[in-house]
Amino acid sequence: MSNVEQLPVKATSDRPAPKRIMRPCEYGLWGAVKDMETQMGTVEAYNRLCDWAQSLKAKIDAGKAEQQNRLFATDPDWIYPAGGES
């Protein structure tokens, strides 16, 4: 009874990795960008998005980044097993 051995296990998945997860906020962002592009045009919409990205980067660099809500947190290793692409 003291000689316990692990049975051989196939520790990889042969299923394809799932598609990228779309969270509810991403649909809202997609709609906002689409509406922005319709109202301002592609170039001005891009410029506004760059301004907002710069603002977020400044927030991160200042150490004031916000943590992801745990409700939406996921484990990438579970979602994309065996080094699948995201």
Side-chain angles (χ1 to χ4, degrees):
M1 284 231 186
S2 64
N3 187 11
V4 178
E5 295 182 22
Q6 181 177 351
L7 296 173
V9 176
K10 180 181 174 191
T12 61
S13 175
D14 56 359
R15 66 186 174 135
K19 294 180 182 177
R20 183 180 176 122
I21 292 175
M22 284 286 285
R23 291 179 169 86
C25 65
E26 291 182 89
Y27 290 105
L29 178 62
W30 178 79
V33 170
K34 183 175 178 281
D35 292 344
M36 230 173 47
E37 190 174 10
T38 299
Q39 294 174 30
M40 298 183 206
T42 304
V43 174
E44 188 58 29
Y46 174 79
N47 289 338
R48 299 285 174 98
L49 288 171
C50 289
D51 291 344
W52 290 325
Q54 184 178 16
S55 172
L56 285 174
K57 184 176 182 329
K59 187 176 181 178
I60 292 167
D61 292 344
K64 297 179 181 177
E66 295 181 26
Q67 186 174 0
Q68 179 184 28
N69 185 323
R70 293 184 69 198
L71 177 67
F72 299 107
T74 56
D75 179 4
D77 293 333
W78 181 79
I79 297 170
Y80 305 107
E85 295 181 17
S86 57

